Amino acid sequence: MKTLVLDSLSALQTGAELPADLDFANVTVEPPRDPLHGDMATNAAMVLARQAGMKPRDIAQALAGKLLDDPRIASADVAGPGFLNLRLASAVWLQTIPQAIKQGSAFGRSALGAGRRINVEYVSANPTGPLHVGHTRGAVFGDALASLLSFAGYDVTREYVINDGGSQIDTLARSVYLRYLEAHDRPVSFPDGVYPGDYLIPVGQALKERVGAAYLDQPEDVWLQDIRNFATDEMMALIRSDLALLGIEMDVFFSEKSLYGTGRIEACLEALDQKGLIYQGVLTPPKGKEPEGWEPREQTLFKSTEHGDDVDRPVKKSDGSWTYFAPDIAYHYDKVQRGFDELIDVFGADHGGYVKRMKAAVSALTDGKVPLDIKLCQLVRLFKNGEPFKMSKRAGTFVLLRDVVEQVGPDVTRFVMLTRKNDAPLDFDFAKALEQSRDNPVFYVQYAYARVHSVMAKAGNPADSELAAADTAHLQHPAELALVQKLAEWPRLVELAASHHEPHRIAFYLFDLASEFHSLQHLGKVEPEMRFITGDKALSTARLALIRAVAVVISAGLGILGVTPMKEMR
RNA sequence: GGCCCCGUAGCUCAGCUGGAUAGAGCAGCUGACUUCUAAUCAGCAGGUCGCAGGUUCGAAUCCUGCCGGGGUCACCA
């Protein structure tokens, strides 16, 4: 469509109706906000008016004349200050119906990604316990984003980095050791600084079965390393099973520990050093709020300010050991070396302070060639019957991912988590999630899909081949054409959502599509001649083709979100 | 104090990366079921897009400065 407009503009130039040297970069061709204005609108005349030294309306008039030569353009009207409103022949819209039916689940797939390799890292929760609701949003978001990018033509890798290198794993190991003693009927107490959760009880027992009494009354250096590995494996098994409840499967689990002792962190920092970005220095304390016990320390620093960060960041502590940042740089370096063209990290909002330095690191390592996008997911606020539901580890009101999924099911969990932009907080109300009403968008969309199937069954389940061959010219009612236009938006919407890394747009689109469908279906209740199945065989087939296409798109959209379409809801 | 995110209808939120009269859903009011699922639909009402400037043909959208809410801030990972 846009190329058609641009071609017409060039034609006007060769016809000397427009000056030759014009910049078309700002010309847009988009569906107008108000459909009454037409199907497509272009701002070409207003953008070019100044450059061309002509009145906008004159340019628009000339352009309109040119465009009308094309049979696909039904009308072209100049409006307002110089908008050119285009109305497409309805046949242009209607062809999306057979297209959608023939292409099926492939309808709307895009070549946008051009097979570029993109790595989406998400969840990456510390392997110290089961996933809780806070992790759920990032998990669902990352997974839907990965599916979306894949649908848009990217070669996607889903990745989870296991933070198994840090001191929190020591804490985990000690906690498991206490459970191990407990399994041997030794008296134990759980001081501050260990993980008291019940989920470690079976791990302690499993450890007993594996090593018997070997670690009893032994000092820490005998068992710590072994239990670290054992406990981490157990926790990852737990986390994988939690993810499986949501239908999430990772392609790669990357162990942070695997970077230690292999020279890879050193090599990565060496690469930065060669760019002159590593130095010994002393950081100034944060302004305004000096932390208690601040003292200046000489550390190894990364000059992240060269790549957009606010202050330089330490990669080594004053005692010479790595900060967390160092292996994380090395980890991202590893991703780059694995050949990814683009990287995405999905973090919780509490990691907001981390994005600049991570982007700086990737920018430095790749000379800005590999883009890193970091998506922050804001908090999830839990509600029960409208009452805020506070989560607290101490009070034991710690809501697990498992609890949520078991209560409301994976489909509802996923959809609800995606009905908000990632950077806006999300309210999750258990009562509402379970409610099967229009208040709950999941059911609204599912219901539309189920209704299509119901109608199809009533019509004797006509074959796709028959529907694809339907004479769609019978569809003339405004409500029918509105629905067709909504369907035609789908491919463009996929590209927009993918390029913005915003899967929530899919959810909102599906809601709109379902709304158009429900509206049309309802017309049949008011005006019997508008029912999908009528005495007119050709008309019925055309309408069935239309709603079949609706089902195709809903199915594809829900597929991206990871939600199962339901053929029946009773 | 620095940085990041948010501020749009009574409530919860969209707004297609600058377009025309800013949109949904809930809640409120009016209506629509002997029919392919009323788990639905049609309509009414509801707005200084936090405030003030700037950029231009044109701003909820971009820039600057404020105000308000949240997050975060060296040897934690």
Side-chain angles (χ1 to χ4, degrees):
Chain A
M1 194 62 233
K2 181 167 183 177
T3 57
L4 178 59
V5 170
L6 292 179
D7 289 349
S8 300
L9 286 170
S10 316
L12 288 173
Q13 283 182 315
T14 52
E17 293 171 72
L18 279 176
D21 54 335
L22 290 178
D23 179 14
F24 295 155
N26 291 326
V27 173
T28 64
V29 181
E30 289 176 328
R33 193 175 279 167
D34 185 345
L36 287 177
H37 290 122
D39 298 326
M40 286 289 173
T42 177
N43 61 357
M46 288 178 294
V47 173
L48 301 177
R50 173 178 282 195
Q51 296 182 54
M54 295 169 64
K55 288 181 186 167
R57 293 189 66 100
D58 292 344
I59 299 180
Q61 206 52 255
L63 181 58
K66 211 45 146 183
L67 284 167
L68 282 171
D69 292 346
D70 192 291
R72 289 171 292 176
I73 304 295
S75 75
D77 302 312
V78 183
F83 279 102
L84 187 59
N85 291 328
L86 305 176
R87 207 163 281 283
L88 304 186
S90 61
V92 177
W93 296 113
L94 291 170
Q95 73 191 13
T96 57
I97 294 175
Q99 225 175 46
I101 295 173
K102 281 180 198 154
Q103 296 179 17
S105 59
F107 178 60
R109 275 189 185 277
S110 164
L112 180 77
R116 285 164 62 81
R117 297 189 60 208
I118 190 165
N119 181 294
V120 185
E121 182 213 321
Y122 57 108
V123 194
S124 300
N126 284 341
T128 55
L131 299 178
H132 56 76
V133 268
H135 299 119
T136 309
R137 187 170 184 190
V140 170
F141 176 86
D143 203 50
L145 176 57
S147 299
L148 171 60
L149 290 169
S150 175
F151 196 71
Y154 287 87
D155 179 2
V156 179
T157 297
R158 296 157 200 256
E159 186 151 327
Y160 184 121
V161 59
I162 307 169
N163 294 127
D164 51 6
S167 62
Q168 84 279 13
I169 302 298
D170 290 339
T171 305
L172 174 70
R174 293 184 189 111
S175 308
V176 168
Y177 185 69
L178 290 174
R179 292 300 184 183
Y180 164 77
L181 295 179
E182 196 178 51
H184 280 283
D185 297 319
R186 298 289 180 92
V188 291
S189 65
F190 293 87
D192 281 353
V194 301
Y195 303 127
D198 291 346
Y199 59 89
L200 292 179
I201 294 174
V203 181
Q205 273 161 353
L207 182 63
K208 176 186 170 187
E209 278 161 35
R210 195 171 69 97
V211 302
Y215 289 157
L216 290 177
D217 305 314
Q218 295 294 319
E220 192 169 284
D221 57 345
V222 171
W223 47 259
L224 186 67
Q225 196 53 48
D226 184 45
I227 297 185
R228 275 176 61 111
N229 293 336
F230 178 74
T232 304
D233 289 347
E234 290 288 312
M235 289 302 101
M236 284 312 298
L238 186 63
I239 287 171
R240 279 180 214 231
S241 70
D242 280 351
L243 289 175
L245 291 175
L246 280 172
I248 296 175
E249 261 185 62
M250 295 289 171
D251 298 314
V252 175
F253 284 90
F254 187 95
S255 164
E256 179 207 340
K257 198 176 56 184
S258 70
L259 293 167
Y260 287 96
T262 58
R264 294 169 72 188
I265 301 176
E266 291 79 356
C268 174
L269 290 183
E270 176 59 27
L272 288 176
D273 200 13
Q274 279 177 10
K275 294 174 193 286
L277 294 172
I278 299 292
Y279 69 103
Q280 298 294 319
V282 178
L283 286 174
T284 54
K287 286 170 195 151
K289 181 189 144 194
E290 183 160 328
E292 301 242 344
W294 167 275
E295 50 185 78
R297 260 180 286 255
E298 177 154 304
Q299 296 172 299
T300 305
L301 301 172
F302 164 50
K303 205 179 276 182
S304 54
T305 46
E306 295 266 309
H307 288 268
D309 203 357
D310 306 308
V311 292
D312 293 338
R313 305 291 177 175
V315 291
K316 269 188 186 178
K317 304 173 192 173
S318 52
D319 66 4
S321 62
W322 301 117
T323 63
Y324 173 73
F325 189 36
D328 213 14
I329 298 174
Y331 166 55
H332 282 76
Y333 193 39
D334 180 82
K335 289 196 230 183
V336 170
Q337 287 176 325
R338 274 185 275 154
F340 290 105
D341 300 305
E342 287 179 48
L343 305 179
I344 298 179
D345 290 350
V346 179
F347 292 162
D350 54 343
H351 287 64
Y354 203 68
V355 322
K356 278 194 179 179
R357 77 189 70 171
M358 204 64 250
K359 284 189 177 180
V362 171
S363 169
L365 286 167
T366 68
D367 297 317
K369 290 197 186 89
V370 177
L372 166 66
D373 188 15
I374 299 185
K375 305 295 280 186
L376 295 178
C377 287
Q378 287 292 327
L379 300 176
V380 176
R381 291 184 303 226
L382 286 178
F383 289 82
K384 247 173 188 167
N385 304 314
E387 292 291 314
F389 189 76
K390 279 274 178 190
M391 267 211 325
S392 156
K393 269 185 188 174
R394 273 187 217 125
T397 53
F398 193 61
V399 181
L400 302 179
L401 176 149
R402 206 180 304 154
D403 300 333
V404 177
V405 176
E406 277 169 8
Q407 277 192 52
V408 306
D411 287 340
V412 174
T413 305
R414 292 189 63 121
F415 200 100
V416 171
M417 293 280 176
L418 291 166
T419 51
R420 209 106 304 174
K421 276 186 302 207
N422 60 290
D423 47 13
L426 168 72
D427 293 345
F428 191 94
D429 191 314
F430 281 95
K432 231 167 217 176
L434 287 168
E435 199 175 301
Q436 305 198 353
S437 76
R438 56 191 162 266
D439 205 3
N440 186 342
V442 196
F443 284 92
Y444 189 81
V445 173
Q446 294 272 34
Y447 183 39
Y449 186 81
R451 271 182 144 179
V452 172
H453 272 270
S454 181
V455 175
M456 287 298 171
K458 192 88 175 179
N461 289 317
D464 277 358
S465 54
E466 184 190 341
L467 295 178
D471 180 5
T472 52
H474 286 100
L475 302 175
Q476 291 297 338
H477 193 280
E480 291 169 335
L481 294 176
L483 184 53
V484 173
Q485 291 184 15
K486 201 76 203 169
L487 286 171
E489 276 178 37
W490 172 241
R492 179 168 179 261
L493 184 110
V494 167
E495 295 195 346
L496 283 169
S499 56
H500 287 85
H501 301 164
E502 291 184 339
H504 77 272
R505 295 193 193 202
I506 304 290
F508 281 95
Y509 169 83
L510 290 178
F511 187 82
D512 286 347
L513 179 63
S515 175
E516 296 280 4
F517 168 78
H518 285 309
S519 179
L520 179 61
Q521 162 133 22
H522 190 78
L523 263 186
K525 302 208 177 277
V526 184
E527 305 170 39
E529 67 274 14
M530 285 308 296
R531 293 168 64 77
F532 296 130
I533 304 169
T534 71
D536 183 339
K537 172 78 172 153
L539 178 60
S540 294
T541 308
R543 286 181 177 163
L544 290 172
L546 169 62
I547 65 171
R548 176 70 200 147
V550 170
V552 163
V553 171
I554 291 181
S555 178
L558 288 179
I560 290 171
L561 304 184
V563 175
T564 319
M566 292 169 80
K567 292 190 177 178
E568 201 172 294
M569 305 176 75
R570 293 278 177 193

